[in-house]
């Protein structure tokens, strides 16, 4: 046994208490001793694990051996269990004392069991501690044995030194690698610093250029605004050609004539209606406003003049409701009209000042954009339908047979007459040119000098107007056989069947005639017939400014 074993044994003996009782593995002797004790035969231990054997101390053992054995082999046991005193015979036993004694013994028994369990737990803990000490002892033995062998110890030291040097070399390599990486990083940082400095210089240069460009851009925007105004001034005066306006205008009055010819074939009832117009309270106010007594007397004298009266009523109503000069745009409400007119007046005060052409250009584009809105289109169609119904009601009063068609009659009038009139009025407003429709007879002092009768028609007017004879429904020509008075008078103006269409000039008060007016005239003397075999040199001009058809007088 080594010194280490001795020290371990002494430490274990110090940690274990010195008890005079040990646990025995002989349960039969204990049971035999316990059964011989009076009063305990009826209460044996609950299990063999709780049996204990009282072993007296050996006085002959030496102190050293006793202490070693006790420390290494003897576990801790509870205190000695004292035997109960010997009792007398059963005749002398008091039952009450017996029960008390029994309870006391039972309590002592339970206490003893608890102490035994505690001793077992302490014994197990000491056994685990002893096992750990043995492991430590074996490890120390191995160390001592290794140190006792110089060669093995030297090999171990060399192995550890070699591992240490290898680790140092690895660290040196790693340090060298980190230094290399540091140098590369420094070089990269220098490059980035140089690039950043160059980028900052370029940025400053670009910012300076940007400021210069912004100033140039501001100047160019001002120049662009002026150029736009100049371009607007240099653009053609009309976005829609005059030829298209004139074509739509002539087509409208052709369609009016076609509708009258198709729908008013029988006009016999019209004379009686016209005769009672002034006295009839149920007559439409529209007819009372348009038909004067002279026209009513004319229909009585010339029965063929009734279709001309119908055309006159239709064109006059369309002119007043849809085509009049004071109508900003048919279908547009008064609130928006007032706003747009206010904008036009405000544009005149802008800097640079907007001229008339620029304002007309703005109005044209604004109205074209407005016409694309679905809400405006619906409102325009609704108002056009109202115009068609009102006109249809007036015409059915003069021609009651038209009412038999029902809604299809006014719808045909709407599609044939009202819708083209609305389209013409809209295109006229879209143009930058200003158009005027003159529904009354335009007078020119040069054609009738020295005469104050504004209704008189003179021979030079044949070149200015399309003159239609009420009696014969024929168009007068320069070569027509007419009786001309000394002052040049040939007849009297009755009505305007097709008004005059003018495109107004911006620089003057006059205008250019795009479509001549068609005027119904009552001649002072009927036209005479030409000599036999002489072909008329002229041609019958259409009432609506269209193609001319040959005719014989």
């Amino acid at each position: 046994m080594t010194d280490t074993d001795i020290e371990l044994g002494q430490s274990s003996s110090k940690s274990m208490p010195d008890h005079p009782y040990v646990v025995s593995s002989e349960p039969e002797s204990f049971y035999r001793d316990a059964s011989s004790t009076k009063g305990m035969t009826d209460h044996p231990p609950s299990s063999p694990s709780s049996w204990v054997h009282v072993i007296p101390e050996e006085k002959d053992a030496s102190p050293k051996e006793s202490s070693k054995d006790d420390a290494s082999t003897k576990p801790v046991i509870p205190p000695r269990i004292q035997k109960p005193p010997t009792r007398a015979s059963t005749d002398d036993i008091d039952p009450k004392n017996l029960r008390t004694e029994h309870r006391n013994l039972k309590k002592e028994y339970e206490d003893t069991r608890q102490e035994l369990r505690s001793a077992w737990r302490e014994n197990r803990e000491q056994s685990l501690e002893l096992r750990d000490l043995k492991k430590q002892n074996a490890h120390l033995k191995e160390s001592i044995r290794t140190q006792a062998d110089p060669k093995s110890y030297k090999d171990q030291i060399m192995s550890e030194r070699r591992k240490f040097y290898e680790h140092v070399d690895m660290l040196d390599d790693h340090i060298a690698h980190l230094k290399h990486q540091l140098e590369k990083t420094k070089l990269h940082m220098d490059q980035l610093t140089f690039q950043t400095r160059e980028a900052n210089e370029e940025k400053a240069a670009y910012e300076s250029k940007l400021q210069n460009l912004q100033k140039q851009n501001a100047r160019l925007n001002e120049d662009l605004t002026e150029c736009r105004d100049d371009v607007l001034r240099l653009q053609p005066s009309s976005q829609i050609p005059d030829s298209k306006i004139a074509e739509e205008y002539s087509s409208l009055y052709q369609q009016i004539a076609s509708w009258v010819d198709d729908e008013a074939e029988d006009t016999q009832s019209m004379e009686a209606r016209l005769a009672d117009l002034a006295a009839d309270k149920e007559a439409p106010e529209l007819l009372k406003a348009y038909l004067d007594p002279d026209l009513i007397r004319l229909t009585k004298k010339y029965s063929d003049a009734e279709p001309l009266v119908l055309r006159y009523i239709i064109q006059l109503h369309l002119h007043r409701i849809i085509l009049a000069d004071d109508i900003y745009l048919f279908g547009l409400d008064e609130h928006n009209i007032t706003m747009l007119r206010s904008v036009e007046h405000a544009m005149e005060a802008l800097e640079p000042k907007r001229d008339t052409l620029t304002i007309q250009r703005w109005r044209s584009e604004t109205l074209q954009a407005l016409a694309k809105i679905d809400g405006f289109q619906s409102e325009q169609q609704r108002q056009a339908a109202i115009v068609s119904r009102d006109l249809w009601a007036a015409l059915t009063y003069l021609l009651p047979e038209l009412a038999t068609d029902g809604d299809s009659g006014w719808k045909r009038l709407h599609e044939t007459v009202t819708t083209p009139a609305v389209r013409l009025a809209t295109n006229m407003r879209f143009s930058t040119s200003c158009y005027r429709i003159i529904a009354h007879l335009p007078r020119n002092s040069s054609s009738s000098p020295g005469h104050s009768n504004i209704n008189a028609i003179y021979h030079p007017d044949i070149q200015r107007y399309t003159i239609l004879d009420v009696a014969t429904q024929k168009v007068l020509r320069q070569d027509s056989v007419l009786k001309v008075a000394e002052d040049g008078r040939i007849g009297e103006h009755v009505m305007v069947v097709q008004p005059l269409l003018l495109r107004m000039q911006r620089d003057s008060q006059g205008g250019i005639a795009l479509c001549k007016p068609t005027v119904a005239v009552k001649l002072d003397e009927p036209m005479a017939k030409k000599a036999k075999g002489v072909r008329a040199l002229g041609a019958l001009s259409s009432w609506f400014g269209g193609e001319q058809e040959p005719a014989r007088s």
Side-chain angles (χ1 to χ4, degrees):
M1 179 181 295
T2 62
D3 297 336
T4 304
D5 294 336
I6 296 172
E7 292 177 358
L8 290 176
Q10 292 177 355
S11 61
S12 62
S13 63
K14 292 179 181 179
S15 62
M16 296 177 60
D18 188 8
H19 294 285
Y21 303 97
V22 293
V23 178
S24 174
S25 59
E26 298 178 10
E28 294 181 0
S29 61
F30 171 78
Y31 188 78
R32 182 173 57 254
D33 294 340
S35 61
S36 63
T37 305
K38 190 176 184 180
M40 297 183 63
T41 56
D42 297 334
H43 302 282
S46 60
S47 63
S49 61
S50 61
W51 298 342
V52 295
H53 182 201
V54 179
I55 302 175
E57 296 181 358
E58 296 181 359
K59 295 181 179 180
D60 298 335
S62 62
K64 291 183 179 181
E65 295 178 356
S66 176
S67 62
K68 291 181 182 180
D69 295 339
D70 291 342
S72 59
T73 60
K74 296 181 181 179
V76 180
I77 61 174
R80 183 187 300 274
I81 299 176
Q82 295 180 0
K83 295 182 180 180
T86 305
R87 298 184 181 275
S89 62
T90 56
D91 296 338
D92 299 336
I93 295 174
D94 186 3
K96 184 176 181 180
N97 295 332
L98 186 61
R99 283 193 298 271
T100 302
E101 189 175 349
H102 178 266
R103 282 195 299 272
N104 295 332
L105 291 174
K106 188 174 182 181
K107 183 177 180 181
E108 291 178 359
Y109 174 73
E110 293 296 332
D111 294 340
T112 303
R113 288 187 61 186
Q114 292 296 333
E115 293 176 357
L116 182 61
R117 290 179 180 176
S118 299
W120 284 343
R121 282 194 295 270
E122 292 178 0
N123 188 15
R124 178 174 179 78
E125 293 175 356
Q126 292 178 359
S127 299
L128 294 174
E129 185 179 359
L130 180 60
R131 184 185 61 187
D132 295 338
L133 292 174
K134 287 182 178 180
K135 290 181 179 179
Q136 294 178 5
N137 189 18
H139 180 69
L140 291 174
K141 286 180 179 181
E142 184 66 23
S143 299
I144 292 172
R145 187 165 49 253
T146 303
Q147 293 177 1
D149 188 358
K151 184 178 180 180
S152 176
Y153 180 70
K154 185 177 181 180
D155 294 340
Q156 184 179 3
I157 292 176
M158 294 300 294
S159 175
E160 294 293 335
R161 184 180 297 173
R162 187 167 50 254
K163 291 180 181 180
F164 174 75
Y165 288 153
E166 291 176 356
H167 183 67
V168 171
D169 293 339
M170 183 184 66
L171 292 178
D172 290 339
D173 294 339
H174 185 64
I175 291 171
H177 176 71
L178 291 178
K179 287 181 179 180
H180 179 67
Q181 292 292 332
L182 180 60
E183 293 296 331
K184 290 177 60 177
T185 304
K186 287 182 179 180
L187 180 61
H188 184 62
M189 287 297 296
D190 293 338
Q191 294 176 354
L192 291 178
T193 304
F194 179 74
Q195 293 176 1
T196 303
R197 188 181 301 108
E198 289 183 346
N200 290 334
E201 293 176 355
E202 292 178 358
K203 179 182 178 182
Y206 285 137
E207 287 178 351
S208 178
K209 291 181 180 179
L210 179 61
Q211 291 177 358
N212 295 331
L213 291 176
Q214 288 177 348
K215 293 178 181 179
Q216 295 178 6
N217 189 25
R219 290 194 297 268
L220 291 176
N221 284 332
E222 295 176 358
D223 296 340
L224 179 61
T225 303
E226 295 179 0
C227 292
R228 284 175 177 173
D229 295 338
D230 295 338
V231 168
L232 290 176
R233 295 187 187 98
L234 295 175
Q235 283 181 348
S237 60
S238 176
Q239 295 172 317
I240 300 177
D242 292 341
S243 58
K244 182 178 181 180
I245 298 296
E247 182 181 356
E248 290 184 356
Y249 183 81
S250 299
S251 176
L252 172 63
Y253 286 95
Q254 287 178 5
Q255 289 175 278
I256 294 174
S258 299
W259 185 89
V260 172
D261 294 340
D262 295 339
E263 301 292 338
E265 296 179 355
D266 185 9
T267 59
Q268 294 180 358
S269 61
M270 182 175 173
E271 182 178 354
R273 291 282 183 156
L274 290 175
D276 299 337
L277 180 63
D280 190 358
K281 296 181 179 180
E282 296 182 358
E285 295 295 331
L286 183 149
L287 295 178
K288 294 180 180 181
Y290 296 160
L291 297 177
D292 54 18
D294 294 337
L295 286 177
I296 296 175
R297 285 192 298 270
L298 181 67
T299 58
K300 291 181 180 181
K301 184 177 181 180
Y302 303 103
S303 59
D304 293 338
E306 292 173 351
L308 295 178
V309 173
L310 291 176
R311 290 165 57 186
Y312 171 76
I313 294 172
I314 294 173
Q315 67 89 10
L316 190 60
H317 186 66
L318 293 178
H319 177 262
R320 291 187 176 182
I321 304 301
I322 299 176
L323 299 170
D325 298 336
D326 57 347
I327 298 176
Y328 195 84
L329 179 64
F330 179 76
L332 191 62
D333 59 281
E334 291 296 330
H335 175 72
N336 288 321
I337 292 174
T338 303
M339 182 189 67
L340 292 176
R341 291 187 187 276
S342 300
V343 173
E344 290 181 10
H345 292 309
M347 290 177 68
E348 297 177 355
L350 294 176
E351 292 296 338
K353 187 177 180 179
R354 304 307 191 260
D355 57 8
T356 304
L357 179 59
T358 303
I359 296 175
Q360 290 176 350
R361 177 79 177 183
W362 174 85
R363 180 198 306 147
S364 173
E365 293 178 352
T366 302
L367 294 182
Q368 289 184 49
L370 183 63
K372 299 294 184 180
I373 301 175
D374 295 338
F376 171 78
Q377 295 176 1
S378 301
E379 179 63 19
Q380 191 180 59
Q381 293 174 4
R382 186 187 69 82
Q383 294 187 20
I386 294 174
V387 174
S388 299
R389 288 192 180 94
D390 293 342
L391 186 58
W392 176 256
L395 296 176
T396 53
Y397 175 81
L398 296 177
L399 301 174
E401 60 272 11
L402 296 178
T404 58
D405 293 339
D407 291 341
S408 62
W410 79 264
K411 289 181 179 179
R412 285 197 302 272
L413 177 67
H414 179 75
E415 295 175 359
T416 306
V417 176
T418 308
T419 300
V422 172
R423 187 184 307 113
L424 172 62
T426 304
N427 288 334
M428 290 170 61
R429 299 302 180 266
F430 285 171
S431 176
T432 56
S433 299
C434 180
Y435 299 97
R436 289 187 62 188
I437 297 176
I438 302 176
H440 58 82
L441 180 64
R443 303 308 302 175
N444 189 347
S445 59
S446 63
S447 64
S448 55
H451 299 283
S452 59
N453 187 359
I454 62 175
N455 291 327
I457 299 297
Y458 300 91
H459 193 271
D461 291 334
I462 296 177
Q463 296 180 350
R464 300 177 62 241
Y465 313 140
T466 300
I467 300 177
L468 186 66
D469 182 17
V470 175
T472 61
Q473 304 289 315
K474 293 181 180 181
V475 177
L476 301 183
R477 303 290 181 185
Q478 287 287 341
D479 58 348
S480 298
V481 181
L482 300 172
K483 182 179 180 180
V484 182
E486 294 180 357
D487 59 353
R489 175 188 168 104
I490 61 175
E492 184 178 356
H493 159 255
V494 177
M495 70 182 80
V496 177
V497 180
Q498 175 178 325
L500 171 66
L501 175 62
L502 291 177
R503 178 174 64 80
M504 306 306 296
Q505 296 180 353
R506 296 185 180 89
D507 299 334
S508 63
Q509 298 297 328
I512 299 175
L514 299 181
C515 292
K516 294 193 300 184
T518 301
V519 183
V521 177
K522 182 177 68 172
L523 296 176
D524 295 338
E525 294 291 338
M527 285 191 301
K529 294 183 179 181
K530 291 184 179 181
K532 186 177 181 180
V534 179
R535 187 177 183 274
L537 299 178
L540 179 62
S541 175
S542 175
W543 289 342
F544 322 104
E547 297 181 355
Q548 297 177 347
E549 298 178 357
R552 296 182 183 273
S553 59

